[in-house]
Amino acid sequence: MKVDTSFLNFAIDDPAKYPYIASMGVYVFKRDVLLNLLKSRYAELHDFGSEILPRALHDHNVQAYVFTDYWEDIGTIRSFFDANMALCEQPPKFEFYDPKTPFFTSPRYLPPTKSDKCRIKEAIISHGCFLRECKIEHSIIGVRSRLNSGSELKNAMMMGADSYETEDEISRLMSEGKVPIGVGENTKISNCIIDMNARIGRDVVISNKEGVQEADRPEEGYYIRSGIVVIQKNATIKDGTVV
């Protein structure tokens, strides 16, 4: 929507250069109007923002509400990554801990995170993690994550795991030359998104040192998007791998 954005001067330095306000994708309809649009008049259309709403302007009373609080479009891997990393900053752009606007998540009934001789700086650590003699900097660590001795995460988002592996299961996997869920010993990871249930072995380096912007390596368990390495869900990265 093209408007005079000068009233947003606290967020926009040059209104002439940025004259558009983006749709947040949050819409409120009267039920009968919505059903009429979707079932009858515009049944062949698929997208609200680019198709249905522009046409509805001609026949309906369409109004826009200007939202001036925190909002980020996370439609790309880069924007998703940056928005999550920004939560680690002090002060963050978005505050989870404001008592006036409490933020609730689904109850998982997990035990607290357990850490032993770790160095943690500018990080968010979720419930149920095992952190052992590792270094975490400017990163988000998801539920049930396991980081072993000598591992380092920097500018990384680790989503965690859906279930635990017992110490006996981990020992058995390692004795068979397999990789347990989590991050192995002496592994160094930066500028990376690690999806759920990933198995990253020992002495792995994930840093995209060569600065590759785009790559598809599903057979090796990862993609690269906008320079960010994305480890696939349930992927296995073998010991000693360098990405």
Side-chain angles (χ1 to χ4, degrees):
M1 182 170 66
K2 187 175 183 179
V3 298
D4 179 4
T5 56
S6 58
F7 70 96
L8 293 172
N9 57 5
F10 66 92
I12 298 177
D13 296 328
D14 188 352
K17 186 178 180 180
Y18 301 102
Y20 296 99
I21 294 179
S23 167
M24 294 172 62
V26 180
Y27 310 115
V28 179
F29 288 87
K30 289 184 177 178
R31 183 174 181 272
D32 57 337
V33 174
L34 177 61
L35 291 175
N36 179 53
L37 290 175
L38 296 181
K39 290 186 175 182
S40 303
R41 306 200 61 186
Y42 306 138
E44 77 284 0
L45 303 181
H46 303 286
D47 186 78
F48 276 107
S50 63
E51 296 178 314
I52 295 174
L53 290 180
R55 291 200 190 185
L57 284 170
H58 301 292
D59 303 308
H60 295 80
N61 180 21
V62 179
Q63 300 290 330
Y65 172 78
V66 178
F67 182 78
T68 58
D69 209 332
Y70 173 84
W71 177 75
E72 292 287 345
D73 182 357
I74 54 172
T76 67
I77 292 294
R78 167 57 70 178
S79 60
F80 171 78
F81 181 76
D82 289 345
N84 277 277
M85 290 298 97
L87 298 175
C88 299
E89 298 172 359
Q90 292 296 335
K93 293 181 180 179
F94 178 80
E95 181 58 78
F96 280 110
Y97 310 102
D98 187 343
K100 296 180 180 179
T101 56
F103 194 94
F104 298 101
T105 63
S106 299
R108 296 182 177 90
Y109 306 110
L110 291 172
T113 284
K114 185 175 182 179
S115 63
D116 178 25
K117 299 178 182 178
C118 300
R119 295 178 61 189
I120 301 173
K121 179 181 178 182
E122 292 184 348
I124 297 175
I125 311 294
S126 299
H127 293 127
C129 299
F130 291 90
L131 312 177
R132 182 176 300 164
E133 298 180 356
C134 61
K135 181 179 179 181
I136 300 169
E137 182 176 349
H138 201 257
S139 296
I140 296 176
I141 308 300
V143 293
R144 304 184 188 90
S145 291
R146 183 181 290 270
L147 280 77
N148 288 293
S149 300
S151 60
E152 297 182 8
L153 264 68
K154 184 176 182 180
N155 298 324
M157 182 178 179
M158 185 174 182
M159 295 187 179
D162 291 314
S163 61
Y164 289 115
E165 289 176 338
T166 66
E167 293 295 335
D168 288 342
E169 289 173 326
I170 292 171
S171 297
R172 178 179 55 79
L173 286 169
M174 295 182 69
S175 67
E176 295 173 354
K178 298 179 181 178
V179 180
I181 291 177
V183 177
E185 294 180 357
N186 301 315
T187 286
K188 318 299 183 188
I189 299 174
S190 61
N191 298 314
C192 181
I193 297 173
I194 306 170
D195 208 341
M196 296 292 290
N197 307 319
R199 302 170 182 269
I200 302 177
R202 294 172 291 186
D203 301 307
V204 172
V205 177
I206 301 175
S207 63
N208 190 16
K209 186 177 180 179
E210 296 182 358
V212 176
Q213 290 301 298
E214 305 290 328
D216 294 346
R217 301 286 189 272
E219 69 283 353
E220 299 176 38
Y222 70 91
Y223 290 81
I224 299 178
R225 293 290 182 267
S226 301
I228 301 165
V229 179
V230 182
I231 305 299
Q232 292 176 268
K233 183 177 182 178
N234 302 318
T236 297
I237 308 297
K238 297 180 180 179
D239 294 351
T241 299
V242 177
V243 179

